[in-house]
Amino acid sequence: MDRTGNEGLEVGAHRVEDGAAGDSDAGAALAPVPKSPVAKPPGPLLLGVRHHGPGSARAVRAALEVARPRVVLIEGPPEADALIPLAADEGMRPPVALLAHAVDEPGRSAFWPLAEFSPEWVAIRWALEHGVPARFIDLPATHTLAWGKDEEPATAGKPADESADPAGESADRRADESAGEPVGESAGESVDESVSEPVGEPVGKSVGEPAGASAGEQGAGEQGERDGSGADVRVDPLAVLADAAGYDDPERWWEDVVEHRGVGDGDAFAPFLGLEEAMGALREAYGSGGHDRDLVREAYMRLQVRVAQREFGDEVAVVCGAWHVPALRQKSTVAADKALLKGLPKVKADMTWVPWTYRRLARAGGYGAGIDSPGWYGHLFGAPDRPVERWMTKVAGLLRDEDRIVSSAHVIEAVRLAETLAAMRGRPLAGLGETTDAVRAVMCDGSDVPLALVRDRLVVGDVLGEVPPSAPAVPLQRDLDRIQRRLRIKPEALERELELDLRKENDAERSRLLHRLRLLGVEWGEPVTSRGSTGTFRETWRLRWEPELSVRVAEAGVWGTTVFAAATAKAEADAVGAQGLADVTALAERCLLAELADALPAVMRILADRAALDADVGHLAQALPALVRSLRYGDVRGTDTGALAEVAAGLAERIFVGLPPACVALDADAAEEMRRNVDAVHGAVGLLGDAVASGASGASGASGEEAESGRDRRRDEGSPPHALGHGELRDRWHAVLRVLSLRDTVPGVIRGRGVRLLLDDGKLAQDEAARLMGLALSPGTLPADAAAWIEGFVGGGSGGGMLLVHDERLLGLVDAWLTGVPAEAFTDVLPLLRRTFSAYESGVRRTLGELVRRGPGQRGSAGVGGTGIPGFAAELDVERADAVVPVVRLLLGLGRVEEDAEKDLGDNNLVGAAG
């Protein structure tokens, strides 16, 4: 979904209209207002509002209480009329949003968010409480969803010189469109047959946009096509009016005019009339303000208002973005309006309610009709009295929870300071700016660090709405809800970490759910590195539920009606469509993590076919690590990975054969990439040898009888217990490394790495390694080739620095070579050497510098002379080394420690600590 909604005319209009509709107190609760002494204006009651404006919400409630209309029309998609009664359900807790998506293309979707302080929500609740019909009258979602499909949609009846606004949806809708994909069948007629009769009287105001979609609050699709429109200038009515009033900050003007302005016992309609007059002047000056598609939407709204007038007379109330009010008031014929609607594109659309969050109502989240401070507005709307005092109390509670020292005296002083600042700045009441300055000075000691927490948690907020189970939902969503309740893992807007122990059944099921959702593209959780353990039995997830994930669930519903069935079908389809071998191996790994036993055979067949046909050693080397990692999951997940082990062993065999020829005649970049592949294969061969030797049956997580029966079953089926033995795999790989390290046509970085890996595995004596280094650094070798050999041998994060620290001969060879590099070649090799040694930790670099400073003959006596670094001596300290052997044996799982070793450890009790 695209969240780049633009804030333009309608957004400003929302604010503007609110500016005229204030309440007696910024924190006043919704309450009936006494009857206005002034009669309701003739014709439909047009209530222009700011979407998500608490001032507008209070003013709308007051106007409805006075006017008592027989029907309430609201800016929003008419397909949602059947969902309006759910707003009265006890399980419905705003913020929520109306979600529309194309039936045949769920990814094409749009939202209409509503908070408890949204005027549209207040109008809906008022209508339900008083038994008055409520209807949505904006352009149907069947058209707005189709609008974003084509880059240049044709709108019949529209002036030829006006380009269509690709995002007919308002910003609130936040359309998520996948351009270029087919859309569904059209659904329903755009205009009721009853509106075909001409109406000679003026039309009422435009209908409300529950999502806050006004002109200028364009959806993502509109934003994407805006550049192709003839209107390059977008007007923000709020900014224009604020500038006319002498304000440089539209939000501050809004607070002063609306949130801090009272209605009292005066005319409940006056604010809306004043706002309508201001919007009329702006529309005369700016026309559509660059929002050409609003003309089509407003035509549809006028037709719907006519229908309501024929049924209910003038006792009709319309709640819409203030920008639309002048357009709804203007006289227009039915024929002219229907001409604008002729030929609109259509898709078949479904509607439902979904939870929303304050964070997604914020403009910073990319929501065009968003506001800067939804949490603050929610507080103003809900506080029964003394809003500043109550706000400071909330801030103090939050800071105390974060272990900051905040007392009641801080609250009192912060309130006094906020009120003083408001008086000094000539404001009627302390607003968000004054309270923020007061909090920073009094509670945060002038620091913006704790203030950032206040802004994130309170000013914006992490409130997540709730939708009742009776709301329409795709079967996949209902299955997900059922699993979430069973596993006690509730979606939350606040980001949190979840630690899972896969040895516990409930945690294992949670892991499977999160992995399956990721495979379906529902990124509810993100795996992160576990801080407490590196074992494969533990997982750590970072969870946060975002509203658009509801769209991802609906989109994934095409794969199945349950999470398991949908993930299985999606995995099989992804395997068929995978572009490369590495993609298939990564998919196999994800199938094992998600325990998709039905999908794994199909994935493995495709994997075997791709591996047999792919002759690129680089591709094979990139695919092997993921396969080998997958073999470990059987340990804790009980997965039989025997077939996977066979494929991995075959893949390794092909790498062993093809790697030496593939390493010949490579440039520097290709050599570096191949060096990374060699490292990956080396680690994978070690794990693969262990897995193959143990039968790769996942037996460690199962009982001994289960593991033995698994091995017997594979033997009965004709599968070998292992394709290559543990020693065979390692020996074959070491032979390949030896070839790479001795072949002159292989780049130096790969030869150096081969020598290093053989040395680490104990397959190359230190004397031999020193001899090979001496040959590579001999005067006959080009300085650039020698530097590359050094990078391969001791570079990167392979612990090469510590190798030089502990091996004086190798350090001496590097030192001697470096001092002998000719001056004209030194500048060429310097960047490579800097890259090699800069990867070392600062302590390693410091130690190497100290050893080099002492010079040859002095390094070995560092510990004895007293001037060097402690811990270095000419010979190995056998006594100290023996002391740690028992602990090392425990860490490596090499068996129980003998009684005498345990006795030698004495009071240190290292054995107990290690166990």
Side-chain angles (χ1 to χ4, degrees):
M1 274 174 38
D2 196 333
R3 306 177 212 160
T4 58
N6 219 26
E7 177 187 2
L9 299 178
E10 273 198 313
V11 180
H14 307 177
R15 304 175 184 162
V16 173
E17 103 299 304
D18 271 17
D23 191 42
S24 60
D25 188 288
L30 282 182
V33 175
K35 287 278 185 178
S36 172
V38 181
K40 181 183 81 68
L45 178 62
L46 302 183
L47 304 178
V49 299
R50 178 193 188 185
H51 306 304
H52 318 308
S56 287
R58 290 189 294 267
V60 164
R61 180 66 181 244
L64 293 177
E65 288 289 346
V66 173
R68 298 283 174 164
R70 295 173 59 195
V71 65
V72 177
L73 307 181
I74 304 166
E75 185 179 343
E79 294 94 336
D81 285 351
L83 303 177
I84 289 178
L86 288 173
D89 194 294
E90 294 182 357
M92 181 76 79
R93 302 179 185 275
V96 293
L98 288 168
L99 164 64
H101 65 84
V103 173
D104 296 336
E105 189 182 353
R108 185 180 300 279
S109 58
F111 288 108
W112 286 259
L114 297 171
E116 61 179 352
F117 51 82
S118 299
E120 298 86 356
W121 180 260
V122 170
I124 291 172
R125 293 285 300 178
W126 185 91
L128 293 174
E129 291 168 4
H130 292 80
V132 174
R135 301 173 183 173
F136 290 118
I137 60 169
D138 201 352
L139 192 67
T142 185
H143 299 306
T144 56
L145 291 176
W147 239 340
K149 179 176 182 284
D150 301 322
E151 291 184 0
E152 310 236 349
T155 304
K158 195 169 187 178
D161 59 343
E162 292 182 7
S163 60
D165 194 13
E169 311 98 88
S170 59
D172 315 298
R173 303 166 184 176
R174 314 187 42 188
D176 178 4
E177 296 158 347
S178 306
E181 297 181 4
V183 296
E185 296 291 329
S186 62
E189 295 297 326
S190 60
V191 182
D192 193 298
E193 290 297 330
S194 61
V195 303
S196 60
E197 303 173 6
V199 179
E201 56 190 25
V203 187
K205 306 191 175 180
S206 80
V207 199
E209 292 175 32
S214 308
E217 301 168 54
Q218 312 304 339
E222 175 176 8
Q223 174 70 19
E225 300 179 40
R226 173 173 303 162
D227 294 340
S229 173
D232 295 328
V233 178
R234 300 277 167 159
V235 178
D236 181 353
L238 179 62
V240 174
L241 295 179
D243 182 69
Y247 283 76
D248 58 358
D249 183 0
E251 287 294 333
R252 186 159 58 89
W253 174 83
W254 162 256
E255 278 197 342
D256 288 351
V257 174
V258 178
E259 300 304 334
H260 301 158
R261 183 173 182 266
V263 175
D265 295 334
D267 184 1
F269 309 121
F272 299 101
L273 295 176
L275 183 59
E276 180 181 347
E277 183 179 357
M279 290 296 105
L282 290 176
R283 295 291 297 253
E284 289 181 5
Y286 297 102
S288 64
H291 307 279
D292 299 326
R293 287 197 171 174
D294 283 345
L295 301 176
V296 179
R297 296 171 54 208
E298 289 161 353
Y300 186 86
M301 290 190 234
R302 286 193 293 266
L303 292 173
Q304 298 307 307
V305 173
R306 289 188 179 96
V307 173
Q309 284 182 283
R310 283 197 297 273
E311 185 177 355
F312 299 101
D314 284 344
E315 295 181 274
V316 175
V318 180
V319 181
C320 66
W323 178 256
H324 299 306
V325 171
L328 298 185
R329 184 72 71 183
Q330 75 180 23
K331 292 184 178 181
S332 176
T333 65
V334 172
D337 288 340
K338 295 189 70 173
L340 287 173
L341 300 170
K342 185 178 179 181
L344 289 178
K346 296 180 182 180
V347 296
K348 188 176 181 180
D350 272 351
M351 298 285 301
T352 187
W353 289 104
V354 295
W356 204 251
T357 67
Y358 273 0
R359 194 171 301 280
R360 282 289 180 256
L361 282 174
R363 185 180 294 110
Y367 175 30
I371 52 181
D372 291 332
S373 49
W376 166 256
Y377 276 3
H379 167 77
L380 291 181
F381 186 76
D385 55 21
R386 304 170 71 91
V388 177
E389 289 86 345
R390 293 177 183 274
W391 178 257
M392 293 301 183
T393 303
K394 284 184 178 180
V395 173
L398 173 64
L399 295 178
R400 286 173 182 169
D401 291 341
E402 298 298 324
D403 296 328
R404 291 191 64 86
I405 300 175
V406 179
S407 66
S408 56
H410 286 87
V411 176
I412 295 171
E413 290 303 317
V415 171
R416 290 175 176 171
L417 178 56
E419 293 174 345
T420 302
L421 289 174
M424 294 175 62
R425 296 170 180 174
R427 308 195 65 183
L429 284 176
L432 181 59
E434 287 70 38
T435 57
T436 299
D437 291 342
V439 168
R440 179 192 290 109
V442 177
M443 298 186 189
C444 299
D445 300 323
S447 173
D448 284 336
V449 175
L451 189 64
L453 180 67
V454 175
R455 286 186 178 130
D456 184 66
R457 298 281 186 85
L458 294 181
V459 176
V460 175
D462 280 307
V463 178
L464 175 65
E466 296 181 13
V467 172
S470 56
V474 296
L476 181 62
Q477 179 67 63
R478 296 199 180 280
D479 184 62
L480 176 59
D481 293 340
R482 179 185 59 80
I483 297 174
Q484 288 171 336
R485 289 192 297 270
R486 180 170 60 84
L487 299 181
R488 300 186 297 279
I489 178 171
K490 183 179 179 181
E492 296 177 348
L494 183 64
E495 185 178 281
R496 66 186 180 99
E497 285 195 357
L498 179 66
E499 295 280 351
L500 299 179
D501 185 343
L502 301 182
R503 296 170 296 185
K504 300 177 180 178
E505 181 58 29
N506 192 67
D507 282 1
E509 288 196 43
R510 289 177 171 181
S511 173
R512 288 194 289 269
L513 172 64
L514 293 172
H515 280 295
R516 289 170 182 174
L517 290 177
R518 278 175 58 82
L519 199 149
L520 289 170
V522 183
E523 302 287 341
W524 178 19
E526 176 187 2
V528 295
T529 303
S530 298
R531 291 189 296 267
S533 172
T534 59
T536 57
F537 64 86
R538 192 172 298 279
E539 282 184 351
T540 303
W541 292 81
R542 185 177 293 120
L543 303 181
R544 171 183 271 180
W545 185 266
E546 302 286 3
E548 55 266 29
L549 294 181
S550 299
V551 176
R552 301 280 81 83
V553 174
E555 193 172 9
V558 300
W559 298 107
T561 58
T562 66
V563 174
F564 175 77
T568 298
K570 181 69 161 51
E572 294 175 349
D574 287 349
V576 173
Q579 297 297 318
L581 181 61
D583 296 333
V584 183
T585 57
L587 182 60
E589 181 179 13
R590 298 175 69 181
C591 287
L592 286 168
L593 289 168
E595 294 194 20
L596 299 177
D598 294 344
L600 192 58
V603 175
M604 292 305 303
R605 284 194 301 271
I606 295 174
L607 175 60
D609 294 342
R610 293 288 183 90
L613 297 175
D614 199 329
D616 191 318
V617 174
H619 293 168
L620 299 177
Q622 293 169 9
L624 182 62
L627 279 180
V628 175
R629 284 195 306 268
S630 302
L631 293 175
R632 301 180 299 164
Y633 302 140
D635 294 344
V636 292
R637 300 176 186 269
T639 305
D640 186 354
T641 55
L644 195 63
E646 294 179 16
V647 174
L651 206 62
E653 181 68 20
R654 296 186 60 200
I655 293 173
F656 296 163
V657 174
L659 187 58
C663 292
V664 176
L666 299 177
D667 61 15
D669 293 337
E672 178 61 26
E673 182 180 357
M674 189 61 72
R675 194 268 302 168
R676 290 193 292 268
N677 290 337
V678 169
D679 284 343
V681 172
H682 182 76
V685 167
L687 292 174
L688 179 60
D690 295 337
V692 171
S694 63
S697 63
S700 64
S703 66
E705 293 182 359
E706 291 172 338
E708 186 64 30
S709 64
R711 288 190 290 269
D712 292 341
R713 183 172 61 254
R714 284 193 301 275
R715 284 195 295 268
D716 294 340
E717 294 172 353
S719 299
H722 49 78
L724 285 175
H726 174 77
E728 293 174 355
L729 280 172
R730 292 287 184 89
D731 290 344
R732 287 293 309 277
W733 175 241
H734 290 148
V736 173
L737 291 177
R738 189 172 295 275
V739 171
L740 294 177
S741 63
L742 299 177
R743 184 171 293 181
D744 293 338
T745 55
V746 173
V749 67
I750 299 177
R751 286 188 285 119
R753 180 61 69 183
V755 173
R756 174 62 190 281
L757 295 177
L758 289 171
L759 181 64
D760 289 346
D761 284 355
K763 298 300 180 180
L764 192 67
Q766 289 189 344
D767 292 340
E768 179 65 11
R771 185 185 72 82
L772 293 175
M773 175 180 278
L775 292 174
L777 303 183
S778 63
T781 305
L782 294 176
D785 293 340
W789 198 98
I790 291 176
E791 183 185 20
F793 187 75
V794 296
S798 59
M802 293 302 298
L803 180 65
L804 294 179
V805 167
H806 291 289
D807 195 319
E808 179 183 354
R809 291 172 300 171
L810 298 181
L811 180 58
L813 286 171
V814 175
D815 188 20
W817 169 79
L818 186 59
T819 55
V821 173
E824 60 273 13
F826 184 77
T827 54
D828 294 333
V829 301
L830 182 59
L832 190 58
L833 294 173
R834 287 174 62 89
R835 184 175 66 186
T836 300
F837 289 95
S838 64
Y840 298 162
E841 295 181 357
S842 58
V844 173
R845 294 199 301 269
R846 190 164 50 248
T847 302
L848 287 174
E850 179 66 21
L851 293 175
V852 172
R853 184 188 65 81
R854 294 176 192 162
Q858 299 298 323
R859 298 170 186 150
S861 58
V864 179
T867 60
I869 298 176
F872 294 96
E875 301 294 339
L876 177 67
D877 188 335
V878 178
E879 187 174 330
R880 293 179 64 192
D882 287 342
V884 301
V885 168
V887 178
V888 173
R889 289 177 61 84
L890 280 176
L891 294 176
L892 297 178
L894 298 179
R896 298 181 58 85
V897 181
E898 295 80 356
E899 292 295 327
D900 54 341
E902 187 175 342
K903 185 182 301 182
D904 290 340
L905 290 174
D907 296 335
N908 291 330
N909 194 25
L910 293 179
V911 175

